[in-house]
Amino acid sequence: MKRPIAMIAGTGRAVPKRVMTNDEFAAIGIDTNDEWIRERTGIKSRHVAGPGETLTSLSAEAARIAMTAAGVTPGEIDSIVMATVSPDHLLPAAAVEVQAAIGATRAAAFDVDAACTGWIYGVTVAEGLIATGTAETVLVIGGEVLTRIMDWKDRNTCVLFGDGAGATILKKSTKGRGVLASYLRSDGTLAKLLWRPSGGGAKTVTADMLTDGSFFIQMQGRDVFKHAVRSMADAVDRALDAAKLSADDIDLVIPHQANIRIIEATAKHANVSMDKVYVNVDRYGNTSAGSIPIALDEALGNGRITEGSTVMFVGFGAGFTWGSVIARF
Ligand code: UT7
């Protein structure tokens, strides 16, 4: 096992005030029901951004909490790595908007687009920045306001997503704490199974894109499900190999929260019982890049992670991207 270089020194989270239950979809004319959503996904409710709530405001709130937890001031942040697919503006990066909001005037700020695996990619980038001496203190945020880029008429997707942000401060490792292994993969040949067909530079923007739904997230759910199960299993195996650990050495698994059935399949493959797996998909839905850091912050707050815990993070998302990080706390 390698000596850790970078550790998670503080975390925070922020979600919109409004909680939307499954029953509310039928009330807005979507042909769905609470029973279907619960049974197929495990989701009971999600947070939905309201007026004045943006990716920047949620991310900045989460970042302030994480900075306080880590005992770091905005001026000490050297880099901000923002993982998102739902920035407030397409130009410039979401990270610079957060930089301005929190007053991290010295930081280099940029986005990482790896969809639901974004925070895992972000942590791995941050570890590299610290390893090379480019940065000492890195703010990694995973956050989304997906409810603003989903098709509210498409029951295949609109019941799945939620909004929220999780922030983490990474610093040089002390006392053997920190990232023990990470593993990143992508397969761009599968991009069209989960994507936004229009709205980017490939086509001139037209009004049709809004009416035909191609401006919004589109997903072939069943295919994505199969790949998610396979890829999460791969990510579990590869991270354990890289860290030279076995499943018994892991105190808690924090998987991407997309669907309870994917989470259960991942736990089964890893040979880890569900009581060692963190689940909050029931209360947040799929918050993409926000899902793992939000769960991490909850797990630190409610004592599921304590000093010395070894935690495995596993993610999968559009791209496709997938990966894992094992860290000691
Ligand atoms: O964040 C990472 C990427 N995303 C994921 O990991 C999501 C992966 N996929 C999934 O989680 C699941 O595939 C879904 C939850 C999206 C769908 O569950 P499923 O068990 O794979 O359902 P399905 O797509 O096979 O659809 C089964 C039926 C269909 O009806 P027919 O063709 O059998 O008559 C759908 O039209 O369920 C229908 N359906 C719904 N019914 C009620 C689809 N969405 C809904 C809905 N309410 N919201």
Side-chain angles (χ1 to χ4, degrees):
M1 189 198 307
K2 75 171 187 184
R3 273 183 59 204
I5 294 163
M7 66 173 186
I8 295 168
T11 64
R13 69 178 188 277
V15 291
K17 285 182 199 64
R18 175 161 142 62
V19 175
M20 182 177 182
T21 63
N22 292 343
D23 286 332
E24 292 182 56
F25 286 100
I28 58 168
I30 310 293
D31 180 14
T32 189
N33 56 71
D34 177 56
E35 192 189 351
W36 190 96
I37 302 170
R38 273 180 203 241
E39 279 181 8
R40 300 289 181 124
T41 72
I43 300 167
K44 296 177 186 164
S45 62
R46 72 286 292 143
H47 292 258
V48 176
E53 288 176 319
T54 61
L55 180 68
T56 307
S57 70
L58 295 170
S59 300
E61 188 184 338
R64 286 188 198 101
I65 298 166
M67 286 188 289
T68 303
V72 164
T73 62
E76 289 174 275
I77 307 253
D78 299 307
S79 304
I80 301 174
V81 184
M82 177 81 211
T84 191
V85 293
S86 51
D88 287 338
H89 300 99
L90 295 181
L91 185 77
V96 297
E97 299 203 61
V98 176
Q99 174 188 25
I102 63 173
T105 47
R106 286 181 51 250
F110 58 95
D111 291 358
V112 165
D113 179 342
C116 308
T117 324
W119 181 83
I120 285 174
Y121 273 63
V123 165
T124 307
V125 169
E127 186 191 25
L129 291 170
I130 292 170
T132 55
T134 306
E136 278 189 16
T137 305
V138 184
L139 169 61
V140 180
I141 304 171
E144 307 285 0
V145 183
L146 291 176
T147 61
R148 297 216 171 112
I149 57 163
M150 69 188 197
D151 185 347
W152 281 87
K153 292 192 217 77
D154 177 12
R155 71 175 183 174
N156 291 300
T157 51
C158 74
V159 301
L160 304 175
F161 301 114
D163 302 329
T168 17
I169 300 285
L170 273 92
K171 289 176 72 87
K172 267 189 201 154
S173 167
T174 58
K175 300 180 195 158
R177 297 164 62 197
V179 176
L180 304 177
S182 53
Y183 170 66
L184 304 180
R185 283 293 300 274
S186 311
D187 184 351
T189 64
L190 301 168
K192 292 180 182 176
L193 293 176
L194 175 48
W195 70 326
R196 292 177 70 188
S198 53
K203 277 188 225 160
T204 310
V205 176
T206 62
D208 295 344
M209 293 176 182
L210 298 176
T211 44
D212 68 16
S214 66
F215 185 76
F216 302 109
I217 298 172
Q218 292 187 358
M219 178 170 73
Q220 305 299 321
R222 215 173 295 184
D223 291 331
V224 175
F225 188 99
K226 282 185 216 147
H227 285 286
V229 170
R230 202 173 303 152
S231 304
M232 301 265 280
D234 174 53
V236 164
D237 293 346
R238 299 296 288 265
L240 286 174
D241 283 352
K244 298 193 172 45
L245 293 175
S246 76
D248 289 344
D249 299 314
I250 303 296
D251 298 303
L252 186 69
V253 178
I254 300 188
H256 170 49
Q257 308 283 318
N259 185 318
I260 188 66
R261 293 184 292 137
I262 298 174
I263 294 171
E264 284 169 352
T266 304
K268 193 171 170 202
H269 174 85
N271 209 10
V272 163
S273 69
M274 279 302 286
D275 58 343
K276 277 173 57 172
V277 179
Y278 201 84
V279 176
N280 65 10
V281 66
D282 51 323
R283 289 176 287 120
Y284 294 102
N286 181 349
T287 58
S288 187
S291 108
I292 293 176
I294 288 172
L296 165 61
D297 184 58
E298 277 194 352
L300 281 163
N302 63 24
R304 294 286 300 274
I305 300 175
T306 53
E307 203 173 326
S309 294
T310 303
V311 181
M312 178 192 277
F313 305 95
V314 197
F316 170 84
F320 288 157
T321 58
W322 65 100
S324 44
V325 160
I326 297 178
R328 178 153 302 142
F329 285 79

